[in-house]
Amino acid sequence: IHCSGHCLNLVICHSCILPEVRNMLDKLKNCSLFFQHSPKRNKLLELIVNKKLKDHPTKCKPLLQLCKTRWAERHNAYQHFYQSYTFIVEALEMIGHGSLFSDWDAENRSAAQQILSSITTFEFILVFLMAYQYLSHLSGITIQLQSSTLDIIEAHGMIKSIKVVYQRERENMEVGFKATLRPCCENGRPGRSYS
């Protein structure tokens, strides 16, 4: 019998099978792998982050690997991507559109251009922000449901409170939608600096 946390993770994974969400996740994964599979590209991204945040240096990695099964881990990866979005775009622009005399080979430039064009589309940004916003409500409960001391009454109460949050979100969809897009509209791109 699956534990409560695993059941919730299965429900979340099932809810992400919409083609738009699946495409967004694939693009996000490609972007993460592009930087993680090359120390040189990853170092460039870290240099950009540290340069932009010189007043608030951070030891956080700009991108985390997407976990296939644990939503809490995946949410952390989404959060890092959200916070690093402008830095990721800048790094991809430097790699993909650098001068002909830069030390990036044609393969790196081509891959960077493809990823850049895929993560800067309206559809990607909209779907990412919506998924990040609405699935973030589940980040705490997925960890709590893994507790060995949690009983069925407590778990039921937690699920009930999350259902109330989602019901409120559904009733105030327009307000929630505008609030989700506000950071993007104000800055021109999603992403906030690390706190």
Side-chain angles (χ1 to χ4, degrees):
I1 298 173
H2 294 308
C3 73
S4 302
H6 186 66
C7 288
L8 181 58
N9 280 322
L10 292 175
V11 168
I12 295 168
C13 290
H14 182 70
S15 70
C16 293
I17 62 171
L18 292 169
E20 295 83 5
V21 176
R22 205 172 53 236
N23 290 340
M24 180 273 295
L25 293 174
D26 287 343
K27 292 171 184 177
L28 182 63
K29 182 179 176 183
N30 289 340
C31 181
S32 297
L33 292 176
F34 178 75
F35 286 101
Q36 290 172 352
H37 285 174
S38 167
K40 183 180 176 183
R41 294 186 298 243
N42 198 45
K43 186 68 175 169
L44 172 65
L45 181 57
E46 288 177 0
L47 287 172
I48 290 171
V49 170
N50 291 331
K51 180 182 171 190
K52 299 288 183 183
L53 302 177
K54 59 184 171 203
D55 295 337
H56 307 287
T58 178
K59 301 270 186 194
C60 293
K61 290 186 175 185
L63 289 172
L64 297 178
Q65 195 165 7
L66 294 174
C67 181
K68 293 180 181 177
T69 54
R70 301 177 73 196
W71 168 249
E73 298 296 324
R74 186 173 277 210
H75 178 69
N76 290 340
Y78 292 170
Q79 189 170 26
H80 278 252
F81 182 84
Y82 178 80
Q83 292 172 335
S84 302
Y85 182 81
T86 55
F87 310 131
I88 294 165
V89 168
E90 186 175 337
L92 290 169
E93 286 172 344
M94 289 177 73
I95 297 169
H97 301 295
S99 69
L100 294 174
F101 304 105
S102 66
D103 57 347
W104 298 102
D105 61 16
E107 186 179 337
N108 275 308
R109 285 200 305 267
S110 176
Q113 289 170 4
Q114 287 176 348
I115 293 169
L116 180 63
S117 68
S118 71
I119 68 166
T120 55
T121 63
F122 176 76
E123 182 180 356
F124 174 85
I125 293 171
L126 179 67
V127 174
F128 174 76
L129 287 175
M130 297 305 290
Y132 176 67
Q133 171 70 23
Y134 291 108
L135 293 176
S136 66
H137 298 300
L138 299 171
S139 62
I141 197 167
T142 55
I143 295 168
Q144 292 173 341
L145 287 176
Q146 295 173 6
S147 171
S148 59
T149 59
L150 184 71
D151 66 22
I152 192 74
I153 304 298
E154 283 180 277
H156 185 267
M158 290 176 183
I159 297 297
K160 204 171 184 180
S161 66
I162 290 295
K163 284 173 71 174
V164 169
V165 169
Y166 280 122
Q167 187 63 39
R168 209 173 322 125
E169 294 278 356
R170 181 179 285 168
E171 291 167 0
N172 301 314
M173 185 65 75
E174 191 170 318
V175 174
F177 185 74
K178 287 179 181 176
T180 300
L181 292 180
R182 188 169 294 124
C184 180
C185 296
E186 290 171 355
N187 301 328
R189 293 176 175 161
R192 300 177 185 157
S193 57
Y194 289 94
S195 53

